Amino acid sequence: MKELIVFGATGGTGQQVVHQALIDGFEVTVVVRNKKEYILEHPHLVVIQGDVLKPGTFNEAMNGKDAVVSCLGTRDRKPTTIYSEGVTNIMRAMQNAAVKRIVCLSAGAIEIPPDASFMMKFVIKNILQRLFKYGYADMRLMEKILYNSNLDWTVIRPPRLISGEKKVKYRSSINEFLPNLLSISRADLAHYILHHLDDEKTFKSKVEISY
């Protein structure tokens, strides 16, 4: 049974990761800022109160884990370090606990695909990258930090995240731009994450995924 630790477990994708992992038989630890507000209970779930920006609050929870999933995110558009600083703190805890595997969420629109249509390039550059410039800038820094690490990392760049049931019918690419990035449900994104934790082809790689 694989032992997993999840950051950002209160967000939509994080909730799906935890839910599906427990169904699949994982031992799951989640790190949340307010333990009292996390209502999910399960015999194979451990809830730790901690803050990814305060590494001393979760270092011990990293011991014995087989993999880390970071679904960190922010709901506002202000300057942030949640991705870069948060993942840096996670990486340090991983190194101290001899954990090598980590999957992190980024965003498909932080980079403009060279073969995208004129309209898609316009939307990404003039709308998405302007609206979310601070978050995207910090995601780019996070990706750079991971790239320069010795961990078995995977960065997943999803398009627009939507609600919906798990279909398990999606496209993905490794270290290549995926044409027509439109949307993916959080349930299917979580499915991809959990079913590629041991996929060495995704190690030290960037993944794009979409319907």
Side-chain angles (χ1 to χ4, degrees):
M1 185 179 291
K2 187 175 288 291
E3 294 195 25
L4 191 65
I5 185 167
V6 180
F7 295 85
T10 58
T13 302
Q15 291 178 40
Q16 282 290 332
V17 168
V18 173
H19 175 71
Q20 293 184 35
L22 292 170
I23 290 175
D24 290 345
F26 286 77
E27 295 280 355
V28 182
T29 296
V30 299
V31 179
V32 296
R33 281 182 292 181
N34 191 334
K35 186 176 179 180
K36 294 181 179 179
E37 292 183 358
Y38 196 80
I39 61 176
L40 181 63
E41 296 182 359
H42 191 280
H44 299 296
L45 175 67
V46 175
V47 182
I48 301 295
Q49 183 160 313
D51 188 333
V52 73
L53 299 180
K54 299 177 181 178
T57 61
F58 63 83
N59 283 348
E60 291 186 7
M62 191 67 69
N63 293 326
K65 300 302 180 291
D66 298 300
V68 177
V69 175
S70 171
C71 299
L72 294 173
T74 177
R75 292 183 174 86
D76 59 45
R77 300 173 189 169
K78 298 177 182 179
T80 182
T81 61
I82 187 69
Y83 304 101
S84 60
E85 186 178 351
V87 167
T88 295
N89 291 335
I90 291 171
M91 287 169 51
R92 288 172 180 161
M94 290 175 66
Q95 290 165 346
N96 290 336
V99 179
K100 292 283 290 183
R101 182 68 172 129
I102 181 171
V103 178
C104 293
L105 294 188
S106 184
I110 69 170
E111 192 170 354
I112 301 176
D115 59 349
S117 66
F118 172 81
M119 181 58 68
M120 182 60 71
K121 289 180 179 178
F122 179 86
V123 169
I124 293 174
K125 181 178 181 180
N126 295 286
I127 299 177
L128 296 177
Q129 291 187 348
R130 289 186 178 182
L131 283 175
F132 304 107
K133 63 179 180 179
Y134 295 118
Y136 285 179
D138 200 41
M139 287 179 187
R140 294 187 190 98
L141 181 55
M142 174 192 73
E143 290 190 6
K144 183 177 180 180
I145 291 168
L146 287 165
Y147 182 85
N148 290 321
S149 76
N150 63 352
L151 300 176
D152 293 329
W153 56 269
T154 300
V155 166
I156 301 182
R157 291 177 168 182
R160 182 171 65 96
L161 297 177
I162 60 175
S163 301
E165 298 296 322
K166 183 173 60 177
K167 300 177 181 178
V168 198
K169 291 183 179 180
Y170 46 75
R171 301 172 296 127
S172 64
S173 64
I174 301 173
N175 293 322
E176 293 181 352
F177 288 107
L178 187 67
N180 301 318
L181 281 176
L182 298 176
S183 65
I184 188 76
S185 74
R186 296 172 180 85
D188 276 325
L189 178 55
H191 178 272
Y192 182 92
I193 292 170
L194 294 171
H195 285 79
H196 289 80
L197 289 174
D198 296 322
D199 184 359
E200 294 184 5
K201 296 190 297 294
T202 68
F203 289 10
K204 302 185 187 303
S205 297
K206 298 173 184 177
V207 170
E208 293 197 348
I209 182 173
S210 182
Y211 288 132

